[in-house]
Amino acid sequence: MLLLLISCFSFILLSKSLSSKHQHHHRERRLFPPWDEAFTTTFMTSWFQKGTLQIFTSTTPLKKLKPKAKNLVWSSSTENQKEDHNKTTPSPSLLDLPELVLDCILDRLQPAELCAMSGVCSSLRERCVSDDVWEKRMKGKWGKVIGDAAYREWQWYIALKNRSNLLNNQRNQSNFSFESVAKIWPFLSWFNIKPRAEKELKNGGLAVDSIMAWYLALETGRFSFPAQVYNRENGHAGFLLSCYDAKLSYDSKTDTFQARYSPHGRRTTEENISWDRLRAPPVDTCSYDLHISDSLFELKPGDHIEIQWRRNREFPYGWWYGVVGHMESCNGNENHCRCQDTDTVMLEFKQYPSSSRWRKTMINRENHREVGNEGDGFYGGIRKLYNQQEISMWQSLWPNQVLE
């Protein structure tokens, strides 16, 4: 208490001394009124009477200090300079960002947003339609179902479209020249008519052979591509644990596909096919051709395989899942099994009961070709499955009950 009292008196005395010392030099600069005796007496009396320190709030608020004339002039001139600076300095643009930052922004845009961004200006258009930007998006969404067969189909699609444009141009223009062809020709890569920089149409059109054009053709369903469908015809019992070639078109509204199968079958179309029932063809073999097997001498009991099978020789092959089993002469003991050393291989399809004629078949390792008959169908080439992901996919399609 005594220390607080001493501090108050010290502050009052110090204020008075400073005020009197600089009174004739800085009278106009004083920010607070001088501490007079009346205020000091009132403060100390109140403090001693109540025993606590009271904070007084003046009923008359302090007036704000008015700036001097020169300050007003300086402030006005500063504001004018800011306005002039805003008029002369252009607002920051997206293209002013560093290259790496701009690439990171574009990398996070959705395909629809990239298409919108490409219409902003020519500089952004060049970036937004480049193959480097769209390659990642193509692999991310379509990589699972797009294979070499689909790519070849796309190249043929481009070639036919370009040929049609070229013929129309020949009919409509009498002064036919190389430059007129260059305006409409999407410049197929194997023709090398023009360098990459001239692949854009002069009116700003998108190069037809770009990855962006391919992505949009798939997304809109304008381009139908070859792929394979698991459990054809929506899980029909006759096609369980099989995978057949089809022409697929995408429906973006339902995020599903429509498949058109070979005309030799029960049905030629199927709708509402989900992504998880599709795959790109694992081998580059036509569905009517025999696949040449390269792993026959490696096969041993327990291996997972796919084998071509068709009902008759007019039908296309489908791929069917099975496993390598033990020969009838083998008791299944791993320590004494010699099935891998025999000339024949036993294939089992365990989705069928042991009494079914579809349960087992045998093939020859030495000179395997298509084997079978009109009653049991025809067995073709074999693929040994090394990838656990492929095996897991087949096992996830296993039927809930044994097929008849």
Side-chain angles (χ1 to χ4, degrees), residues 58-83:
S58 177
T59 57
T60 304
L62 293 175
K63 296 182 179 180
K64 294 182 179 180
L65 295 176
K66 296 183 179 180
K68 296 182 180 180
K70 62 179 182 179
N71 291 337
L72 291 174
V73 174
W74 179 84
S75 178
S76 176
S77 62
T78 303
E79 292 179 357
N80 292 334
Q81 290 178 2
K82 289 182 178 180
E83 292 179 359

Side-chain angles (χ1 to χ4, degrees), residues 288-302:
Y288 285 91
D289 296 338
L290 179 72
H291 174 67
I292 306 302
S293 306
D294 58 359
S295 57
L296 291 176
F297 290 94
E298 301 177 15
L299 296 179
K300 62 183 183 300

Side-chain angles (χ1 to χ4, degrees), residues 232 260-269 288 314-316:
R232 173 179 167 173
R260 297 194 304 273
Y261 299 107
S262 169
H264 301 288
R266 289 173 51 87
R267 293 167 56 185
T268 59
T269 62
Y288 285 91
E314 294 181 357
F315 281 25

Side-chain angles (χ1 to χ4, degrees), residues 1-12 43-44 47-48 53:
M1 186 72 70
L2 182 61
L3 290 176
L4 180 60
L5 182 62
I6 295 173
S7 300
C8 291
F9 276 109
S10 301
F11 178 77
I12 294 170
F43 176 81
M44 297 305 300
W47 187 83
F48 279 110
L53 183 62

Side-chain angles (χ1 to χ4, degrees), residues 209-265:
D209 62 339
S210 66
I211 297 180
M212 177 181 177
W214 191 11
Y215 186 99
L216 296 179
L218 290 167
E219 190 77 16
T220 57
R222 290 186 289 107
F223 173 64
S224 298
F225 61 95
Q228 293 182 347
V229 182
Y230 290 101
N231 289 0
R232 173 179 167 173
E233 300 184 19
N234 199 21
H236 186 280
F239 294 101
L240 289 179
L241 291 184
S242 67
C243 199
Y244 274 80
D245 287 1
K247 269 292 191 65
L248 297 165
S249 59
Y250 180 64
D251 184 357
S252 59
K253 294 181 180 179
T254 60
D255 193 28
T256 59
F257 295 83
Q258 181 186 65
R260 297 194 304 273
Y261 299 107
S262 169
H264 301 288

